[in-house]
Amino acid sequence: MSTVAESSQHTGQRPIDRYFAGYSSDHQNHGNQLIHVICVPAIAWSVIALLWCIPSPGTWFRPGLWAGLAMFAAWMFYYRASRKLGLGMLVMFVLSSWLTYWLYAVLGPTGLLYLGIGVFVVAWIGQFIGHSKLFEGKRPSFFTDLRYLLIGPVWVLAKLYRKLGWSY
C-alpha cells in the first residue's frame, strides 16, 4: 500500500491535497461536516489542555511544556504541508495557548484537567455520532491512517480558508 506522499509524486498533487481528498471522501454528509467543524477544534484544544497539565518540574516553562512541544511538532507538519495553512495553524496554536494559559490560571491544574477531559470525551462522542449511520455511515479516517488525526484540524482550517476565498 502506498502512502499519500508516494502517490502524490505520481499525480503531481501536493501531499496536503491528497490528504484532504482522502479525508473529504469520509466526510461527505453535511451534518457530519458541521459536527467536525465544531468537534475537531474542541478535541485539538482538549489535547493541548491535557498536555498542559502534565507536570514538568525544574523547567523554566512549567505548565504547558508538553503542550508546547506537541504544538511545535504538529506545526512543523502543517507548515511543511502548506506554508499558508501552517501559518494559520500557528495562529490557532497561539490562541489555544493563550486560552489554556488563562484557564490554567483561573481553574488551576485540576480544573483545567477536568475541563480538558470533559471536552475531549464530549467532542469524541460528537465525532462518532457524525460517523454513525445517522449521518455519514463511514468509519473515521484515522482508522485507515493515524495521520488523519493531524489532518482533521487543518481540514477544518482549509474549509475556513475556502470560505474566505484564501488559497493554501
Side-chain angles (χ1 to χ4, degrees):
M1 175 182 254
S2 66
T3 66
V4 171
E6 290 168 349
S7 61
S8 67
Q9 292 172 349
H10 302 295
T11 64
Q13 282 186 315
R14 300 176 302 171
I16 194 70
D17 296 320
R18 301 281 298 165
Y19 281 122
F20 286 165
Y23 195 87
S24 294
S25 71
D26 292 332
H27 301 86
Q28 297 293 310
N29 179 276
H30 179 69
N32 188 29
Q33 289 181 18
L34 181 60
I35 288 169
H36 277 62
V37 165
I38 295 165
C39 291
V40 166
I43 291 168
W45 174 81
S46 70
V47 169
I48 291 166
L50 294 172
L51 290 171
W52 201 280
C53 293
I54 297 173
S56 51
T59 64
W60 59 272
F61 189 62
R62 288 191 180 110
L65 173 69
W66 303 113
L69 292 173
M71 286 185 283
F72 181 74
W75 173 77
M76 287 187 348
F77 173 82
Y78 297 134
Y79 189 76
R80 194 165 168 233
S82 163
R83 286 191 173 134
K84 291 178 183 178
L85 286 171
L87 291 174
M89 288 304 295
L90 179 61
V91 170
M92 300 312 297
F93 285 143
V94 167
L95 293 174
S96 293
S97 295
W98 284 343
L99 173 64
T100 308
Y101 179 83
W102 177 74
L103 287 169
Y104 186 87
V106 170
L107 302 174
T110 305
L112 181 62
L113 178 65
Y114 289 147
L115 179 61
I117 290 169
V119 169
F120 186 85
V121 169
V122 170
W124 271 110
I125 290 170
Q127 291 285 86
F128 283 108
I129 289 171
H131 280 283
S132 72
K133 293 183 190 232
L134 256 157
F135 292 95
E136 193 74 50
K138 293 181 184 174
R139 293 172 20 157
S141 298
F142 72 88
F143 283 137
T144 57
D145 187 341
L146 286 176
R147 286 176 284 196
Y148 282 117
L149 289 170
L150 280 172
I151 295 301
V154 77
W155 180 78
V156 171
L157 182 62
K159 285 179 80 64
L160 175 63
Y161 275 33
R162 286 190 296 278
K163 190 172 194 139
L164 296 173
W166 298 354
S167 66
Y168 57 84

